[in-house]
């Protein structure tokens, strides 16, 4: 199970420059994750422990994974990603064993960033039902917290968790010494959307008339992931029309298409 569930991430390097908006969030990640990894001595000198765990929370597709990947890349740390849902196992002790394996893998590859996506899968508020499944999920979470408690000896391992269901989280994991740094990753504002569109059209052959700020103004509520697919969709319209250059009309068509898809997804199935 270990080989398939837990992997050292080999995907292409992401840098802070690839992330649109999120300046404040990036700054916080630098202070809480990057500085302790790249210069642990400054914490020793002052005599404080760096935060053990950082929790990123916000809607899906806003760049939480990118941020975690970028900080690992910028510090030359190994990036190990695991989804909370993969830690939910059927058999007693299996989830806890995966957590132990996860930290073992990280310590074999220090410095390392462990990224646990969908942390809510193992750290939701306790439900009324006291089924054995819930107890097993609890044990998995306890194992995670106990690995984090052993942090002083762990040196160069940092943990970043992410969730898009912050309200569901068991507050116990937010106590001091645990995931005690909360960083909200919201939907991008106008400036953020413009920057994200710039980033995702950087390699595209855009006509001069393409007004990215105008598109950003039309896409309030879009996430980074949605803006990325809007740019791809605009490119598809150009290809269908056998053009290499992507025009403003292509973007407008792409917008229309995305909006229609939104409408139909909201329609109940008859
Ligand atoms: P989830 O909660 O669903 O895991 P996430 O917040 O981790 O989502 P990412 O996986 O980081 O989101 O983003 C998905 C994709 O959307 C990225 O690979 C990137 O192409 C694009 N994207 C999202 N946010 C941004 C951003 N702020 N700047 C640039 N691209 C972005």
């Amino acid at each position: 199970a270990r080989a398939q569930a837990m992997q050292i991430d080999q995907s292409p390097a992401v840098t802070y420059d690839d992330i649109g908006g999120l300046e404040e969030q990036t700054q916080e990640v630098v202070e809480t994750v990057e500085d302790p990894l790249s210069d642990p001595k400054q914490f020793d000198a002052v005599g404080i422990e760096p935060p053990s765990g950082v929790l990123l929370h916000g809607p899906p597709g806003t760049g939480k994974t990118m941020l975690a990947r970028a900080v690992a890349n910028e510090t030359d740390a190994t990036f190990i990603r695991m989804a909370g849902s993969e830690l939910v196992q059927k058999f007693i002790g299996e989830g806890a064993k995966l957590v132990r394996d996860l930290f073992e893998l990280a310590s074999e590859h220090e410095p390392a960033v462990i990224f646990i996506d969908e942390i809510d899968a193992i750290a939701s508020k306790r439900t009324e039902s006291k089924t054995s499944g819930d107890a097993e999920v609890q044990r998995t979470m306890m194992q995670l917290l106990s690995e984090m408690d052993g942090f002083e000896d762990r040196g160069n391992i940092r943990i970043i968790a992410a969730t898009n269901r912050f309200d569901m989280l068991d507050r116990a994991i937010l106590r001091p010494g645990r995931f005690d740094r909360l960083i909200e990753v919201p939907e991008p504002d106008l400036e953020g959307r413009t920057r994200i569109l710039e980033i995702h059209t950087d390699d595209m052959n855009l006509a001069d008339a393409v007004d990215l700020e105008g598109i950003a103004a039309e896409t309030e509520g879009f996430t980074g992931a949605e803006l990325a697919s809007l740019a791809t969709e605009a490119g598809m319209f150009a290809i269908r029309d056998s053009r290499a250059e992507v025009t403003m009309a292509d973007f407008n068509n792409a917008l229309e298409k995305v909006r229609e898809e939104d409408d139909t997804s909201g329609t109940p199935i008859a």
Side-chain angles (χ1 to χ4, degrees):
R2 171 170 162 170
Q4 49 162 236
M6 203 175 296
Q7 267 166 22
I8 292 179
D9 189 87
Q10 310 283 11
S11 50
V14 172
T15 68
Y16 297 135
D17 288 339
D18 297 322
I19 304 174
L22 306 185
E23 284 83 10
E24 269 170 49
Q25 288 80 358
T26 304
Q27 186 51 39
E28 270 211 69
V29 166
V30 167
E31 276 172 24
T32 52
V33 185
E34 178 173 325
D35 291 351
L37 278 174
S38 54
D39 189 9
K41 284 196 200 72
Q42 81 186 349
F43 288 84
D44 294 344
V46 175
I48 58 167
E49 291 290 330
S52 9
V54 174
L55 179 75
L56 308 177
H57 63 99
T62 46
K64 297 182 291 298
T65 306
M66 279 187 104
L67 205 49
R69 202 169 251 151
V71 71
N73 177 43
E74 304 260 0
T75 52
D76 288 320
T78 309
F79 184 68
I80 302 171
R81 179 183 186 175
M82 182 108 201
S85 57
E86 293 169 320
L87 291 170
V88 177
Q89 295 288 324
K90 260 199 252 109
F91 299 106
I92 293 181
E94 230 181 341
K97 175 164 190 326
L98 279 175
V99 170
R100 280 196 303 275
D101 288 350
L102 187 61
F103 279 80
E104 202 181 297
L105 184 70
S107 59
E108 285 161 9
H109 295 272
E110 279 185 61
V113 171
I114 296 178
F115 179 63
I116 304 176
D117 207 354
E118 310 165 26
I119 186 89
D120 45 276
I122 54 165
S124 279
K125 279 177 202 143
R126 261 153 276 182
T127 45
E128 290 304 303
S129 68
K130 287 254 177 353
T131 64
S132 58
D134 284 350
E136 175 56 13
V137 165
Q138 282 260 305
R139 265 194 290 276
T140 304
M141 191 61 218
M142 295 307 290
Q143 185 64 40
L144 177 62
L145 295 177
S146 107
E147 294 286 345
M148 289 176 71
D149 287 343
F151 236 75
E152 285 119 271
D153 329 317
R154 298 211 173 274
N156 287 333
I157 301 174
R158 304 269 73 133
I159 306 205
I160 303 178
T163 182
N164 41 50
R165 302 157 92 181
F166 184 62
D167 53 313
M168 302 252 306
L169 285 190
D170 185 341
R171 301 288 135 174
I173 75 157
L174 308 178
R175 278 188 211 137
R178 298 180 168 178
F179 292 99
D180 52 4
R181 282 306 188 96
L182 307 182
I183 303 180
E184 188 187 357
V185 182
E187 281 167 0
D189 61 9
L190 179 67
E191 212 180 299
R193 292 195 300 278
T194 307
R195 182 73 199 118
I196 292 169
L197 285 166
E198 280 167 7
I199 291 166
H200 285 281
T201 56
D202 194 38
D203 289 333
M204 284 171 67
N205 182 1
L206 294 188
D208 290 342
V210 172
D211 169 19
L212 295 180
E213 210 181 319
I215 298 166
E218 292 287 311
T219 48
E220 191 168 349
F222 276 51
T223 62
E226 288 167 334
L227 291 167
S229 67
L230 182 73
T232 304
E233 198 57 56
M236 292 303 297
F237 274 101
I239 288 174
R240 273 178 219 131
D241 209 21
S242 312
R243 272 181 286 111
E245 199 178 59
V246 184
T247 65
M248 194 64 186
D250 294 326
F251 275 94
N252 285 327
N253 285 331
L255 256 178
E256 207 167 299
K257 183 166 176 211
V258 170
R259 291 213 172 103
E260 272 166 22
E261 278 165 6
D262 258 16
D263 287 349
T264 47
S265 68
T267 314
I269 301 160

